[in-house]
Amino acid sequence: MSTAVVVDGPGEHRLVPHEPVRPAAGEALVRVHAVGICGSDREVYQGNRPEGYVRYPLTPGHEWSGTVEEVGAGVPATLTGRKVVGEGFRNCQVCDRCHAGEATLCTAGYEETGFTVPGAMAATLTLPARLLHVLPDAADLTAAALLEPAACIAAAALKANALPGERVAVVGTGTLGMFAVQFLRAGSPAELLVVGTRPDRAALAKEFGATGFRTRDEELPGGFDVVVETAGSASAARTAASLLRRGGRLVLTGIPAPGAEGLDPTDLVVRQLEVHTVFGAPPDAWAHTVRVFGAGLLNPTPLVTHELPLAAFAEAIELVGSGDPEVGKVLLKP
């Protein structure tokens, strides 16, 4: 019998029998291949997720890949059998923000796969077919399970609008930081600096296209046109802003704990810095990610260090929060 993870509340989870939910009109049933675990899944399990952004009991899992097994009425039958990934935000499609393509700002309220509606830590996932993005037939589904965090960084890269020949930098060396390096490298920068706290990530950053690497306790250069921050630490935003030239562009993606150092408004005004933020990925960022992945310009595989069965959910959560430098992306395989 197939199974699913259910988190009943902070620190409480069960492995339960799973019955696939037959797709209704406009829906698709996906056989899950792999599901990733990130810091937000750990927040769900520990009870640290902000109020309104989780609903218990819950089957987590918002980073996933799989194959369409069945479709409901109104969905093209040709989707059956295709490899897919899917957007998490369940936007209303009719408000002003949705019409503008800003699905993550939907005014109908927050709903997201794996947080307020059942996610992919199960044998199958049923969801609106409009949220699916079809992958090439030869796509590696294990690598594709990382396309959700990649899409969030694609949103940052699109907002950064780095032009060929510009000097760009990334602050943060985790999964998001390594994706940022790959997206920004594809734009042919004159320089691509990575700044982080882990010297052991230097080789991987350079493999992905970085031209330089520095730890945050070293003297840092300035004058960069674009900086993308992915660290989410208390001081990461200020470090990122310090790298910019006057009039430079900053994109913040990390969500630090309460009490983090804020950006200096005087500095922002005097240097006329342009600041953007990203929370999740709208449809255009997803489409961009799938195109880049299909073209072979995005390689998630080196970021995966652990593949575990679904029953090892608790172990996987501990690995993600262990701080062990040997732990990268952790995947569960239903």
Side-chain angles (χ1 to χ4, degrees):
M1 179 179 291
S2 60
T3 56
V5 172
V6 172
V7 176
D8 291 307
E12 301 176 7
H13 81 282
R14 296 174 289 138
L15 204 64
V16 302
H18 172 75
E19 289 292 335
V21 177
R22 296 290 301 276
E27 293 184 333
L29 169 66
V30 176
R31 176 68 55 178
V32 178
H33 174 81
V35 54
I37 296 181
C38 80
S40 54
D41 295 304
R42 187 171 166 82
E43 288 177 352
V44 167
Y45 187 60
Q46 293 183 324
N48 299 327
R49 187 82 172 161
E51 186 178 354
Y53 288 86
V54 64
R55 189 179 302 136
Y56 301 105
L58 174 70
T59 293
H62 61 287
E63 306 177 2
W64 58 268
S65 63
T67 303
V68 176
E69 203 164 82
E70 185 180 352
V71 297
V75 179
T78 53
L79 195 60
T80 305
R82 298 303 303 272
K83 296 178 179 179
V84 293
V85 290
E87 299 175 33
F89 282 80
R90 305 294 185 93
N91 57 306
C92 74
Q93 304 182 81
V94 296
C95 71
D96 287 346
R97 291 305 90 211
C98 285
H99 283 165
E102 298 175 334
T104 59
L105 296 177
C106 177
T107 60
Y110 171 78
E111 296 286 347
E112 186 176 3
T113 300
F115 295 107
T116 62
V117 292
M121 290 187 190
T124 67
L125 173 65
T126 300
L127 74 168
R130 63 183 173 81
L131 299 177
L132 297 178
H133 290 262
V134 177
L135 302 171
D137 290 338
D140 178 351
L141 280 177
T142 298
L146 276 70
L147 292 188
E148 191 277 342
C152 296
I153 293 302
L158 291 171
K159 285 192 174 185
N161 191 30
L163 302 175
E166 287 192 313
R167 297 179 68 219
V168 301
V170 174
V171 174
T173 54
T175 298
L176 298 183
M178 294 300 97
F179 277 136
V181 172
Q182 295 183 64
F183 277 112
L184 293 169
R185 180 58 184 167
S188 301
E191 181 180 354
L192 176 47
L193 175 69
V194 175
V195 177
T197 58
R198 292 178 50 184
D200 61 294
R201 297 293 263 187
L204 185 59
K206 290 179 180 179
E207 178 185 330
F208 285 145
T211 59
F213 184 96
R214 297 200 187 186
T215 58
R216 288 170 61 182
D217 56 2
E218 296 181 84
E219 183 177 351
L220 300 178
F224 286 87
D225 300 288
V226 172
V227 178
V228 176
E229 178 276 323
T230 68
S233 64
S235 59
R238 284 205 174 200
T239 297
S242 73
L243 297 170
L244 287 166
R245 63 165 172 81
R246 294 189 69 190
R249 306 186 296 285
L250 173 62
V251 185
L252 304 175
T253 71
I255 304 177
E261 297 178 13
L263 295 174
D264 181 352
T266 300
D267 182 53
L268 297 181
V269 172
V270 171
R271 291 205 290 144
Q272 299 182 64
L273 300 183
E274 184 179 320
V275 181
H276 298 271
T277 60
V278 168
F279 177 66
D284 64 336
W286 272 97
H288 181 57
T289 300
V290 171
R291 284 195 301 269
V292 172
F293 179 66
L297 298 174
L298 190 67
N299 182 16
T301 302
L303 301 174
V304 178
T305 60
H306 293 74
E307 297 180 36
L308 302 172
L310 202 61
F313 169 76
E315 178 187 348
I317 288 290
E318 288 304 311
L319 279 170
V320 169
S322 68
D324 186 341
E326 298 299 317
V327 177
K329 197 66 184 178
V330 178
L331 300 181
L332 295 178
K333 292 288 192 71

